[in-house]
Amino acid sequence: MRALVLAEHDGHSLRGATLNAITAAANLGGEVDLLIAGHNARAIVKATTTIAGIDKVLVADDPIYAHPVAETVAALLIEHARDYEAILAAATTFGKNVLPRVAATLDVQQISEITGVVSPDTFIRPIYAGNALATVRSKDALKVITVRTTAFEPADNVTGRATISQIPAVNAPIDVQFVREELTILESPDLTSARIIISGGRGMQSGENFKMLEPIAEKLGAAIGASRAAVDAGFVSNDLQVGQTGKIVAPQLYIAVGISGAIQHLAGMSGSKVIVAINKDEDAPIFQVADYGLVGDLFKVLPELTASLSSLSSGA
Amino acid sequence: MKVLVPIKRVIDYNVKIRVKADHSGVETANVKYSANPFDEIAVEEAVRLMEAGIVSEIVVVSIGPAAAQDVLRNALALGADRAVLVQTDNEIQPLAVAKLLKLLCLQESPRLVILGKQAIDDDSNQTGQALAALLNWPQGTFASKLVIEDGRIEVTREIDGGLEILSLALPAVVTTDLRLNEPRYLSLPNIMKAKKKPLEIRPAASLDINVEPRLITVRVEEPQQRQAGIKVADVTTLLNKLKHEAKVI
Ligand SMILES: Cc1cc2nc3c(=O)[nH]c(=O)nc-3n(C[C@H](O)[C@H](O)[C@H](O)COP(=O)(O)OP(=O)(O)OC[C@H]3O[C@@H](n4cnc5c(N)ncnc54)[C@H](O)[C@@H]3O)c2cc1C
Ligand SMILES: Cc1cc2nc3c(=O)[nH]c(=O)nc-3n(C[C@H](O)[C@H](O)[C@H](O)COP(=O)(O)OP(=O)(O)OC[C@H]3O[C@@H](n4cnc5c(N)ncnc54)[C@H](O)[C@@H]3O)c2cc1C
C-alpha cells in the first residue's frame, strides 16, 4: 500500500493542515509520499524532508503552479496516480477543490472529510453536519480521500528523512486564468490551528463592536472567529466563519459570544475541548453544549473580561 | 445562453436528525424535505442572470425519487423554464450524479452549470468538481460573485485565506457559496404559473449509466453528545474555572 498526499502551501511555507493529512495517510499502514506543486518552492521542499513518515517528496516546480488552480494540480496528480493505492489531501478549500476532480477523472468515488481510518478501505465520516457518523467501505481499487484535519494529530516535522524527486509539470488544456487574490491579513493566529478561539455572532451588532474581542484575543493568544450571521451581516470577512459550511475547528478553548448555537454552527466547533458561552438569553441552545455558561449582556461582560484578564496577566 | 442548475432534495436544515435504531442510516420517514439551500442560491443566481439579459433559458434537474418533483416545481416558480427529473429510488452517489449530469449536459449543451458547493445531508462537496472533470470544463467552486463578459466568467471564490478571483472560459461549472445571493421568496401567482411549465420525468435506468454505489454504508451512528456544563455567575468565577478547573488559560 502506497499513499500520496497533496501538499498545501502559500508559496512560502507548508500549511499545517498537510501534516494532519499525512497522519491520516500513515494510518492506512503503508508508505507515504508527498507531492508539492509550486513555483520557486525550494524552501518549502527542504522543510518537508524532515516530516516523520514521508518516504519521498515529489516536486513539480514550474511557473504554472505559481497560483495553482484545480485543473492543473489535478492533472499532475492524475499523471502519478497509477503508482499509488490512495491519494489524500486535507479537507481545506484547496483540497476540496482539487481532489474530486482527480477522483472523477479516474472513475473513483471520493471519500470526503474522513475523521477516522478503520482499515485501508473503511473510513468514518460525519454526515448531516456531524449529527451522524457514517462508517463507509470503498469498493474502488484507488482511494481518493479528503481528511478533516481536526480529527488527526499533525505529523512531527523533525524526525523524518525523506528523499526529494523532481517531476515535470503537466499542463491541462483547459482555459482558466488566475486573476488575483484578496487575502485577509491576520493579526491573530490562524483559526484552524489556534489553541483558543473567541467567536462573535449576530449579538455583536456591528463590525465595530467586533473590536471588543481583540484585546481579549490578544491577552489569550486567541484567534477570532464568527458565526455565519455575523459574516452575512458584513461584520467580518468570510474566512472567519466557523461551522458546517465554514471552518471546522477544535481548539482547547472556544468562547462563543452572542452566538445562539444553531446546529450548523455547532457542527464547526463542538469538537472543542472546553466551550464557554456568553449570551443574554438563558435558553439559547449554545448553553446545551457549553461547559461554562455566562448569562449576561455581552456589552457588559466583554469589558469586564478585558479588565480581569489585564489584572490577571499583570501578576495579580 | 442556457444554464443548467442541478437541485438535490434533502432533509430540511431545520429537522433534528435521528439515526435509525438498526444503524443503517438516518430516519427519513415523516420528515420534511426541501431543496438543498445551496441549490436555491444556484437557482436564484441563474434567475438574476436571466433578468440581467445574460441568460436566455434555465433548465433545472434533480436526480432522486418522484417526490423530488416538489423542489423542481419550486425552482420553476422562481423563474426556471423547464425541469427534468431523473427518477430513481436508489442511492445515487456523487460520482454517479456527475455522470448522469454529464449526459444531460451533452444533450442540453448549456454554457454554464451552477451547482451548490455541498449538499447539507451528505456534505460531500464533490459533485460540481466531478462534473467539471468529466466534461473537461474549467471549474469555479465556492463562488460568492459571478461576472459574465465576452464568453468568459469571472468567479470570486471564498477560500480559507480570503478570496480568489479566477477567469474561466465558457462553458464552465460553478458551485455556489452562501454569500453569492439571498434567494427570493416564492409568490403564489408564480407557484400557480409554474404548474404549467414543462417537467419531464426520465427513469434513471433509461439513461444507461452504471450508478451502482462505490461506497457501502456499513453503519451509521450518533456522535458522542456533549453534556451541558454549569452556569457561572460572573466573569471572575468564569476565569477562575478556566484557570484552575479546566486549566485552558
Ligand atoms: C445551509 C446552511 C449552512 C449554514 N452554515 C453555517 C455555518 O457554517 N456557520 C454558522 O455559524 N452558521 C451557519 N448557518 C446559519 C445558522 O443556521 C444560524 O443562522 C447562525 O449560526 C446564527 O448565527 P448567530 O448565532 O450569530 O445569530 P443568532 O441566531 O441571531 O443569535 C444571536 C445570539 O446573540 C444573543 N445576543 C444578542 N444580543 C446580545 C447581547 N447584547 N449580549 C449577549 N448575547 C446577545 C442572542 O440571545 C442570540 O442567542 C447555516 C445555515 C444554513 C441554512
Ligand atoms: C433514494 C436515495 C437514498 C440515499 N441513501 C443514502 C444512504 O443510505 N446513505 C448515504 O450516505 N447517502 C444516501 N443518499 C445520498 C447520496 O448517496 C449522495 O449523498 C448524493 O447523491 C450526492 O452526495 P452529496 O449530495 O453530498 O454531493 P455534493 O457534492 O455535496 O452535492 C453538491 C451539489 O451537487 C448537486 N447534486 C448532488 N446530488 C444531486 C442530485 N441527486 N440531483 C441533482 N443535483 C444533485 C447539487 O447541486 C448539490 O448542491 C441517498 C440518496 C437518494 C436519492
Side-chain angles (χ1 to χ4, degrees), chain B residues 13-38:
Chain B
Y13 75 95
N14 279 314
V15 170
K16 170 112 185 64
I17 297 296
R18 283 179 215 291
V19 171
K20 281 188 186 157
D22 67 0
H23 296 284
S24 63
V26 306
E27 205 52 75
T28 53
N30 303 317
V31 303
K32 185 183 173 209
Y33 278 82
S34 336
N36 181 34
F38 289 94

Side-chain angles (χ1 to χ4, degrees), chain B residues 155-227:
Chain B
V155 182
T156 302
R157 308 181 52 233
E158 295 202 355
I159 58 169
D160 287 336
L163 300 172
E164 177 184 63
I165 294 100
L166 298 179
S167 166
L168 320 178
L170 294 171
V173 170
V174 164
T175 75
T176 62
D177 217 317
L178 292 168
R179 279 162 288 275
L180 183 59
N181 61 51
E182 223 172 286
R184 69 195 67 187
Y185 289 103
L186 288 173
S187 73
L188 194 59
N190 284 343
I191 293 174
M192 300 313 290
K193 259 195 273 171
K195 293 201 167 128
K196 297 202 193 76
K197 290 187 179 174
L199 191 163
E200 180 195 354
I201 297 180
R202 304 172 64 175
S206 72
L207 297 183
D208 206 22
I209 283 183
N210 185 345
V211 295
E212 221 176 287
R214 306 281 190 85
L215 282 181
I216 309 299
T217 302
V218 180
R219 194 179 163 82
V220 175
E221 270 158 303
E222 302 259 2
Q224 248 189 353
Q225 297 296 334
R226 276 191 94 96
Q227 300 298 322

Side-chain angles (χ1 to χ4, degrees), chain A residues 200-203 205 226-230 241-246 258-262 264-265 278-281 284 296-299, chain B residues 13 37-38 120 178:
Chain A
R202 199 194 319 261
Q205 288 179 13
S227 71
R228 173 186 169 186
Q241 180 177 319
V242 171
Q244 179 185 15
T245 54
I259 291 178
S260 61
Q264 295 86 3
H265 189 78
I278 299 170
N279 197 304
K280 68 176 180 190
D281 172 10
D297 184 346
L298 68 92
F299 294 104
Chain B
Y13 75 95
F38 289 94
I120 59 163
L178 292 168

